[in-house]
């Protein structure tokens, strides 16, 4: 019997901004991704709970948020992604010390398998959760919500159950009564489209889903998804937390056309290597959470630099900018001309068994 803990920070970007600007405390606060077209154009990244009372949530347009909050003395701020990512990294490092089986899930979310550290006891798991909350509060002055359960699925649903500031524990014997009355869309992976489909068959709650005619569902969703729906409705999820693959890294290196200190030139010669790494990732069904670069100078001295991502990804192309920054930072520190350059990714994990089959 495993014990899994899920952590998700409360109104993460907005809470960081509140912390940075104590003078805004008590006012509705909205973090926005603006377009170049000005202060009315863009989408809401997230909002604090004061703003949510007015119906302002992630994903709505800035224009809509402005109208919902007119006269509410609200604060609108532009998103500062890099800044939040740095804080995220600090939080994740802190949290990861609570178990050797740790997994980044997103910029403000993580899973821990605390079976060993809690000695398989829920009372001890509760203590661990309290310690995590306290440490995050002391170090970062931020609140989070935690869920604890016998697997990843239950831990996540429990974590979302009471927000902000919640701690919800669902023991194995409570799983059924916890899940059954919930709407099907509480299962992570069941989005609007799937729940609309299910509603069409009269399936609204998880209990309805448990009692559903599987052969009928299979006709519409296919075998694989139906199986996943069935297992989820029963609160079952075998996927492991933070399983590292046997392979530790993927790297590629090349001889540059000529010695250089020009980042753009170096990057232009990385395209092929990046594509090659992407291919290997896809073939082996791996994701990664550390990106690194290597530079070798004309005297054959080697320099490397790495960066830990806020969450694991299987798309190496999205990390090109980080690679470029890492190259630039080595070049800035050293006077040499560089002769060879390479990339590598580390902290590889198998995607299999973790992938959300319910996405459609
Ligand atoms: P979430 O954890 O989904 O949301 P949240 O932390 O803001 O609020 P909650 O208290 O409900 O957990 O997402 C984490 C951050 O990711 C969020 O603070 C901002 C960003 N984000 C977006 O930029 N766009 C989005 O559509 C969502 C959902 C999140
Ligand atoms: Mg959150
Ligand atoms: Mg989150």
């Amino acid at each position: 019997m495993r014990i899994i803990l899920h952590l998700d920070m409360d109104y993460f970007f907005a809470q960081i901004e509140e912390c940075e600007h104590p003078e805004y405390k008590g006012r509705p606060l909205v973090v926005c991704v603006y377009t170049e077209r000005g202060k009315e154009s863009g989408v809401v990244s997230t909002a604090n709970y004061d703003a949510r009372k007015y119906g302002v949530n992630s994903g709505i347009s800035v224009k809509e948020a402005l109208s919902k909050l007119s006269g509410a003395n609200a604060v609108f701020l532009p998103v500062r992604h890099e800044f939040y990512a740095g804080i995220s990294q600090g939080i994740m490092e802190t949290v990861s010390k609570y178990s050797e089986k740790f997994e980044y899930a997103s910029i403000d979310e993580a899973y821990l398998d605390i079976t060993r550290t809690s000695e398989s006891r829920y009372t001890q798991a509760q203590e661990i959760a309290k310690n995590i909350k306290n440490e995050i509060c002391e170090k970062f002055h931020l609140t989070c919500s935690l869920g604890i359960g016998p697997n990843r699925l239950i831990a996540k649903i429990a974590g979302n159950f009471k927000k902000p500031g919640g701690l919800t524990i669902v023991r194995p014997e409570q799983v059924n009564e916890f899940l059954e009355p919930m709407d099907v869309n509480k299962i992570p992976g069941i989005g609007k489209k799937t729940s609309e489909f299910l509603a069409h068959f009269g399936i609204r709650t998880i209990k309805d889903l448990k009692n559903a005619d599987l052969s009928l569902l299979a006709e519409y969703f296919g075998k694989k998804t139906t199986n996943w729906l069935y297992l989820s409705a029963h609160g079952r999820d075998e996927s492991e937390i933070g399983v590292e693959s046997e392979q530790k890294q993927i790297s590629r290196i090349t001889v540059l056309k000529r010695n250089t200190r020009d980042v753009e030139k170096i990057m232009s010669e990385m395209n092929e290597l990046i594509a090659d790494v992407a291919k290997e990732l896809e073939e082996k069904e791996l994701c990664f959470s550390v990106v690194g670069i290597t530079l070798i100078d004309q005297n054959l001295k080697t320099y490397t630099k790495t960066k830990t991502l806020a969450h694991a990804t299987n798309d190496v192309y999205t990390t090109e900018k980080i690679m470029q920054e890492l190259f630039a930072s080595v070049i800035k520190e050293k006077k040499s001309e560089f002769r060879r350059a390479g990339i590598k990714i580390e902290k590889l994990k198998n995607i299999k068994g973790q992938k959300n089959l319910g996405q459609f």
Side-chain angles (χ1 to χ4, degrees):
M1 282 280 213
R2 297 179 299 154
I3 301 186
I4 309 300
L5 180 146
H6 177 258
L7 164 127
D8 189 288
M9 299 303 295
D10 298 326
Y11 61 110
F12 189 46
F13 296 179
Q15 199 186 170
I16 294 175
E17 294 295 353
E18 267 184 11
C19 224
E20 289 293 299
H21 303 278
E23 70 275 20
Y24 296 152
K25 193 96 201 180
R27 293 170 64 183
L29 188 149
V30 188
V31 177
C32 307
V33 185
Y34 289 111
T35 68
E36 323 77 74
R37 265 176 281 140
K39 284 280 171 207
E40 295 225 341
S41 164
V43 294
V44 170
S45 165
T46 193
N48 69 1
Y49 281 77
D50 295 307
R52 289 184 198 189
K53 282 188 214 141
Y54 295 82
V56 175
N57 289 298
S58 299
I60 72 165
S61 70
V62 172
K63 208 167 168 194
E64 210 180 330
L66 280 165
S67 113
K68 284 181 195 273
L69 287 166
S70 76
N73 193 27
V75 187
F76 287 78
L77 298 171
V79 73
R80 296 191 282 163
H81 209 273
E82 295 281 302
F83 180 59
Y84 314 139
I87 293 172
S88 164
Q89 207 166 329
I91 293 169
M92 295 304 166
E93 265 161 35
T94 300
V95 176
S96 66
K97 299 206 180 88
Y98 284 85
S99 172
E100 69 289 350
K101 286 190 180 173
F102 166 86
E103 190 179 313
Y104 288 111
S106 79
I107 192 155
D108 80 332
E109 221 171 310
Y111 291 93
L112 277 84
D113 183 330
I114 53 168
T115 312
R116 194 184 59 78
T117 34
S118 66
E119 297 173 325
S120 301
R121 296 220 295 264
Y122 275 83
T123 42
Q124 234 155 293
Q126 182 168 7
E127 288 311 306
I128 292 171
K130 285 182 185 161
N131 293 340
I132 290 175
K133 261 180 190 275
N134 289 340
E135 196 175 343
I136 293 179
C137 184
E138 275 164 27
K139 278 195 179 153
F140 305 97
H141 312 289
L142 294 170
T143 67
C144 57
S145 296
L146 302 179
I148 293 177
N151 60 46
R152 174 195 298 265
L153 172 74
I154 302 300
K156 170 135 181 161
I157 298 177
N160 289 336
F161 189 66
K162 195 164 165 275
K163 258 187 163 291
L167 165 55
T168 304
I169 297 173
V170 181
R171 294 167 182 249
E173 64 273 19
Q174 300 169 318
V175 165
N176 285 334
E177 58 170 335
F178 177 67
L179 288 184
E180 283 184 358
M182 290 187 177
D183 284 346
V184 287
N185 63 12
K186 291 286 186 287
I187 296 173
I190 298 194
K192 200 165 162 249
K193 224 167 154 186
T194 311
S195 51
E196 275 170 13
F197 253 78
L198 290 170
H200 192 66
F201 295 121
I203 299 166
R204 287 182 181 83
T205 64
I206 295 181
K207 188 174 182 184
D208 295 337
L209 185 56
K210 269 172 105 165
N211 296 328
D213 177 350
L214 292 180
S215 55
L216 186 71
L217 290 183
E219 267 177 49
Y220 286 84
F221 293 104
K223 251 196 182 149
K224 216 167 155 185
T225 301
T226 301
N227 188 39
W228 169 77
L229 285 170
Y230 173 85
L231 291 174
S232 302
H234 288 78
R236 281 161 55 189
D237 181 357
E238 305 284 322
S239 62
E240 295 230 13
I241 308 301
V243 194
E244 297 206 1
S245 76
E246 280 171 24
Q247 186 173 355
K248 293 296 168 214
Q249 57 149 284
I250 301 176
S251 61
R252 295 285 187 280
I253 193 154
T254 187
V255 178
L256 298 167
K257 286 194 188 103
R258 49 175 60 92
N259 293 356
T260 181
R261 292 178 53 75
D262 185 330
V263 181
E264 309 265 320
K265 283 218 177 85
I266 292 172
M267 279 313 287
S268 70
E269 293 191 45
M270 291 301 109
N271 291 338
E272 219 170 295
L273 310 196
I274 291 170
D276 215 34
V277 170
K279 198 164 145 241
E280 186 168 344
L281 276 173
E282 196 183 320
E283 277 168 9
K284 296 184 174 165
E285 298 197 309
L286 296 170
C287 60
F288 62 99
S289 54
V290 171
V291 184
I293 58 97
T294 303
L295 279 170
I296 300 176
D297 70 11
Q298 71 268 46
N299 304 317
L300 300 181
K301 241 184 126 171
T302 304
Y303 307 94
T304 62
K305 222 166 214 176
T306 61
K307 181 165 175 158
T308 302
L309 305 173
H311 52 98
T313 175
N314 62 350
D315 186 354
V316 67
Y317 294 100
T318 60
T319 64
E320 275 181 56
K321 202 171 146 236
I322 297 172
M323 291 174 187
Q324 182 159 355
E325 283 162 11
L326 294 173
F327 279 125
S329 99
V330 171
I331 293 170
K332 208 169 133 198
E333 284 165 23
K334 309 288 165 202
K335 295 217 158 51
S336 341
E337 293 273 323
F338 298 96
R339 176 172 165 68
R340 304 183 73 193
I343 55 169
K344 74 175 168 203
I345 52 175
E346 296 172 68
K347 283 255 171 171
L348 303 177
K349 279 179 198 156
N350 297 307
I351 297 176
K352 245 191 209 152
Q354 297 188 13
K355 212 193 269 172
N356 213 337
L357 298 173
Q359 265 152 8
F360 73 85

